[in-house]
Amino acid sequence: MMKKSVLFGLILLIVGACGKIKKESSEVSKAIDTPNIIYILADDLGYGDLGSYGQEKIRTPRLDQMAQNGIRFTDHYAGNTVCAPSRASLMTGLHQGNAPVRGNNNNILTFNDFTLAEMFQKSGYSTALMGKWGLGEVGSTGEPSAQGFDTYFGYLNQIHAHNYYPDHLIKDGKKIPLNNQVIFAQEGYAKGIGSAATEKNAYSHSLIIKEALQFLATPRQRPFFLYLPLTIPHANNEGELTADHGMEVPDLGIYKERDWPEAEKAKAAMISLLDADVGRILDKLKDLKLDKNTLVIFTSDNGPHKEGGVNPEFFDSNGALKGTKRDLYEGGIRVPLIAQWPGKIAPNTVSDLPSAFWDMLPTYADLIGYSLDIKTDGISFLPTLLGRSDTQKKHNYLYWEFAEGNHDAQAIRSGKWKLIYIYKSDSWELYDLSTDLGEENNLIKKHPAVAKKLKAYMEEAHVYDSDYPLEDEPMSTAHL
């Protein structure tokens, strides 16, 4: 396969000569009587940050009510432990052993990548993205308009998305200037892209929600798919350019008088704002009489961060789990997932089915009757959503890898067992998640047969990619 860097250069030449990129696609099918879909993705929200998942200090009444009205998954996993690769697994239905994007670098989808947005588009859906994309800039093969979205608004570059008060957002390839004054990072990974505001007027999250509500209210004759990858509660890693912390929020709300560090009060306010705005989306559906024919799913792209001046231990953001963002322990990859669909999903339902982002593509395909003719690592969990668990197929294993900085690691879950290989320490760790959710008791020496079986799965799952090589790629047979 042609390397992404070479392909990207060729595409830019084509764009210059021919204008906006369009993927070849079959004629859009006639609209059918299928449900609307809203997929809401929080950014760096931890497994323990919601009341329905055990949070005691931060108020999240609307999401807690959503869990009571529908189904709450206890064993759902993000695609990866950081932004771009996690979203790539969501979009393509591929786990990180063979996904086209496996890190926050080289994070551009290509013409060869089939996304769930394209599937909806080919099935007659109106498709929209409002929020943070992170898989391709304007004019690239990864631009949302080249990957199945009819319209989009927000951030394309995830470093640009650090700033909640940016100088512009992007709508359908065009910059939309905002009335904020910013200064840019002058060195490091964020040079010239990451920024912080010296004058704050327009809060990007609120603009994204406004755009989403306008999309919902637009009259149409077709069903819609709204992908809503919100930026809250990610930190502005460049926030220290103008402030003491990077948890940017218009006001501290009900947490203003709490005897907490300012950054923690701001984080709590961000999560409660996220909760309230999910409520606004649900209320709009009800007002428009669309709620009974709309499946709404809420989740997060990875575990909680330790950035912007916050400590994830302050609110116990990973709950009983070990690890945070950039770890392949449960706290870095296990995320909340709540789904609501009145009349179809039974209220007050809880599922412990192990599932992951790459299951979304086949689940949606199953839902709308789309015949997938591409490879996917996912399994539809529609039977579980609809209360037919007796017909639910299950994974032999779920697999992750991460190859950035000195965090190189691989992880695999099969049933109750979780195996992790940490490259930095050249160590294997085996945990029984049914009795050790916090991954504290390494059983690698007590269960060699289990470890051997999971190592074989790990070797099967990983396909070498020169853009994302693991530390000692190819993996030494000594490790096996």
Side-chain angles (χ1 to χ4, degrees), residues 161-359:
H162 289 176
N163 188 357
Y164 285 87
Y165 295 92
D167 61 348
H168 74 276
L169 292 174
I170 300 175
K171 183 171 184 177
D172 298 333
K174 297 180 179 179
K175 287 186 177 181
I176 307 299
L178 301 181
N179 186 26
N180 299 317
Q181 300 299 317
V182 306
I183 57 175
F184 290 88
Q186 298 301 308
E187 57 185 9
Y189 76 97
K191 181 178 179 180
I193 303 173
S195 63
T198 56
E199 182 180 328
K200 301 179 178 180
N201 295 300
Y203 191 60
S204 62
H205 167 81
S206 297
L207 296 177
I208 289 165
I209 293 296
K210 180 180 179 181
E211 196 81 12
L213 293 171
Q214 289 175 345
F215 173 80
L216 293 179
T218 301
R220 61 177 58 83
Q221 299 300 315
R222 299 186 290 158
F224 63 79
F225 167 59
L226 173 59
Y227 175 41
L228 199 54
L230 302 174
T231 48
I232 286 179
H234 197 291
N236 184 356
N237 295 342
E238 289 70 59
E240 63 184 16
L241 293 172
T242 61
D244 294 332
H245 63 79
M247 304 307 294
E248 298 178 334
V249 68
D251 63 75
L252 300 178
I254 62 174
Y255 308 103
K256 182 178 181 180
E257 303 302 325
R258 297 297 177 95
D259 184 22
W260 300 343
E262 286 297 304
E264 303 296 354
K265 288 192 281 188
K267 175 182 174 178
M270 292 175 85
I271 293 174
S272 288
L273 176 60
L274 167 67
D275 177 79
D277 284 337
V278 170
R280 291 175 67 194
I281 296 294
L282 298 177
D283 289 345
K284 176 62 74 171
L285 289 176
K286 192 170 184 179
D287 290 345
L288 296 170
K289 295 182 171 47
L290 295 173
D291 55 317
K292 293 183 179 179
N293 195 39
T294 302
L295 168 62
V296 183
I297 292 181
F298 174 89
T299 187
S300 176
D301 67 341
N302 48 248
H305 64 70
K306 341 178 168 177
E307 300 160 2
V310 301
N311 179 352
E313 297 302 317
F314 188 85
F315 293 119
D316 201 16
S317 288
N318 53 4
L321 309 180
K322 176 181 179 179
T324 56
K325 180 180 179 180
R326 295 187 179 83
D327 293 324
L328 291 187
Y329 292 112
E330 293 290 287
I333 53 177
R334 191 186 290 213
V335 292
L337 185 139
I338 300 169
Q340 175 180 305
W341 190 7
K344 300 293 193 300
I345 295 177
N348 289 306
T349 304
V350 178
S351 172
D352 62 359
L353 175 74
S355 58
F357 274 21
W358 49 92
D359 292 325

Side-chain angles (χ1 to χ4, degrees), residues 43-44 78-88 96 102-104 132 158 301-303 307 325-328 332-333 402 404:
D43 200 335
D44 292 2
N80 206 319
T81 188
V82 293
C83 295
S86 192
R87 294 154 198 264
Q96 287 292 292
R102 306 188 199 179
N104 279 335
K132 169 179 151 183
Q158 57 196 23
D301 67 341
N302 48 248
E307 300 160 2
K325 180 180 179 180
R326 295 187 179 83
D327 293 324
L328 291 187
I333 53 177
F402 186 49
E404 285 191 349

